[in-house]
Amino acid sequence: MSKHALKLIPSSTEHADVPNDCKNCGAYHLCMSLWLKTGDSSLLERVVKKKQVFKRGEVIYRMGQPLEYIYVIRGGSVKTCVSTEDGQVQVMGFHAAGELLGLNAISNREHKCEARAMGVTSVCEVSVERFEELAKKDPAIQYEILKIMSAEIHHGQELLLLLGKHNAEERIAIFLLNLSRQFEQRHCSATEFTLCMSRSDIGNYLGIAEETVCRIFTRFQDDGLISSEYRNVKLKDIKRLEQIANQRPQRSVRQTNVASLYF
C-alpha cells in the first residue's frame, strides 16, 4: 500500500539508520513526519505504543472487538475475513508488509473483520487515540491518512470489478500478476515467490471453488505459463498471463531475489 502514499518528506531528510522495513511501510511518512517536525523520537514511541510478533494462525484482532490500535505490518502477511450468520467465512483480503489494518473500524470503533497471521508476522500497534489527537493538529497527517483510505476504496472497487467481469481463469491470471507487481515494488523477485495462503483461501477470495483454482494452476503449468510446486510459484510467461487477464503489458519484469509472499 505504500506505493499510494504521498511523499511528505524529501529524500535528503531520510535517516540512514531507519530500518528498511520502516521505509517500505505504509505509515512511514506519518512516523517520519512526527519525528522530524518535533525532533522528539519519544513522541513516536508514544504513538506507536508497542510491537508484537504473531505466529502462523494467531489472531491479531477479532470481528466485533473494540478498536484500540491501527496495526501496521512490519514483516509477514495477514489474512482478513468475516464470518456470516450461517457460519460461513469469507476471505476479504491478503495483506503485505507495509500495509495498515483496522482503518475500516474507525467509524464506529469496532473491528469489522478478523485479522489472522498467515506466517510469522510482526506488527506495530498505533494508538488510535493518540494518533487522532495528533491528526487534529496537523493537516499533513490528515491528508496522508486520507490518501491511504482512498487506496483502500480503490482496491475494493477493483475487487468488485474482478469478481463481476472476469471468468475464473482471468481472475487467477490477474491475481498472479498483481502479486508480481507488488513483489517488484518491494524490490523482490517479480517472477518467483511463495504463496502463504492456501488454494482454498485463494478460491474463497476470488469467488471460485478450490478445485477450480487447482485445475487452473495445473493448466497454466501444462501450458508453460507458470511452474508450481506446493506453494512455490514461478511466472514463466508474463505476456501470456497478461493476455489471459485482458491487460495490456505495464512493465518489463526484472529478476531479483526470490521472495516469500508478503501480500
Side-chain angles (χ1 to χ4, degrees):
M1 193 182 299
S2 57
K3 66 180 183 295
H4 298 287
L6 176 67
K7 191 169 183 60
L8 299 176
I9 303 168
S11 58
S12 60
T13 64
E14 290 186 353
H15 292 254
D17 58 345
V18 174
N20 284 330
D21 56 353
C22 288
K23 291 180 180 179
N24 293 326
C25 175
Y28 171 68
H29 299 296
L30 295 174
C31 291
M32 289 300 99
S33 180
L34 294 174
W35 186 357
L36 295 175
K37 286 181 180 179
T38 64
D40 181 5
S41 61
S42 66
L43 175 61
L44 186 58
E45 289 297 323
R46 291 198 297 271
V47 178
V48 184
K49 297 184 76 69
K50 55 184 176 179
K51 301 174 179 65
Q52 286 212 51
V53 176
F54 295 87
K55 297 179 181 178
R56 179 181 178 87
E58 287 189 331
V59 174
I60 299 172
Y61 57 80
R62 298 186 183 278
M63 189 172 175
Q65 180 178 322
L67 173 68
E68 295 183 77
Y69 304 103
I70 293 172
Y71 297 86
V72 186
I73 306 173
R74 289 177 59 88
S77 52
V78 175
K79 172 179 68 176
T80 52
C81 56
V82 298
S83 299
T84 61
E85 293 182 356
D86 60 358
Q88 298 295 314
V89 175
Q90 174 62 51
V91 176
M92 303 302 295
F94 305 110
H95 306 274
E99 291 194 40
L100 278 68
L101 302 172
L103 293 175
N104 62 349
I106 290 178
S107 61
N108 68 349
R109 322 305 277 188
E110 182 179 285
H111 286 292
K112 305 293 187 182
C113 60
E114 176 184 275
R116 187 180 295 269
M118 293 193 294
V120 176
T121 300
S122 61
V123 301
C124 292
E125 295 183 338
V126 181
S127 167
V128 173
E129 181 178 344
R130 291 289 295 128
F131 179 79
E132 288 181 334
E133 288 177 8
L134 294 166
K136 290 176 182 178
K137 302 174 183 178
D138 191 338
I141 294 178
Q142 296 175 26
Y143 188 65
E144 181 70 13
I145 200 69
L146 181 63
K147 293 284 287 185
I148 294 171
M149 287 183 164
S150 175
E152 290 270 353
I153 294 171
H154 179 67
H155 175 76
Q157 291 172 335
E158 287 185 328
L159 179 59
L160 288 175
L161 180 63
L162 176 67
L163 298 179
K165 299 297 183 181
H166 293 275
N167 62 35
E169 190 173 74
E170 292 167 349
R171 295 179 195 182
I172 295 293
I174 292 170
F175 179 73
L176 292 173
L177 290 170
N178 284 341
L179 288 180
S180 172
R181 294 183 187 112
Q182 291 190 26
F183 280 126
E184 186 174 42
Q185 289 159 4
R186 290 176 172 83
H187 309 291
C188 298
S189 175
T191 58
E192 297 183 51
F193 41 83
T194 300
L195 302 177
C196 286
M197 74 285 287
S198 66
R199 299 292 194 266
S200 175
D201 281 344
I202 294 173
N204 186 301
Y205 177 66
L206 296 177
I208 53 183
E210 179 182 358
E211 295 78 7
T212 303
V213 175
C214 295
R215 185 168 62 251
I216 292 173
F217 267 80
T218 299
R219 185 187 309 158
F220 282 178
Q221 184 162 294
D222 291 343
D223 291 344
L225 278 68
I226 68 171
S227 60
S228 175
E229 183 177 354
Y230 187 50
R231 295 186 178 180
N232 300 315
V233 174
K234 180 177 182 179
L235 307 187
K236 302 174 68 175
D237 197 329
I238 294 288
K239 288 185 178 179
R240 287 175 65 193
L241 282 172
E242 288 173 329
Q243 291 172 354
I244 292 173
N246 293 323
Q247 295 182 352
R248 300 171 68 178
Q250 297 182 12
R251 48 91 178 114
S252 59
V253 175
R254 54 186 170 83
Q255 297 289 340
T256 51
N257 295 327
V258 177
S260 294
L261 172 65
Y262 294 146
F263 168 71

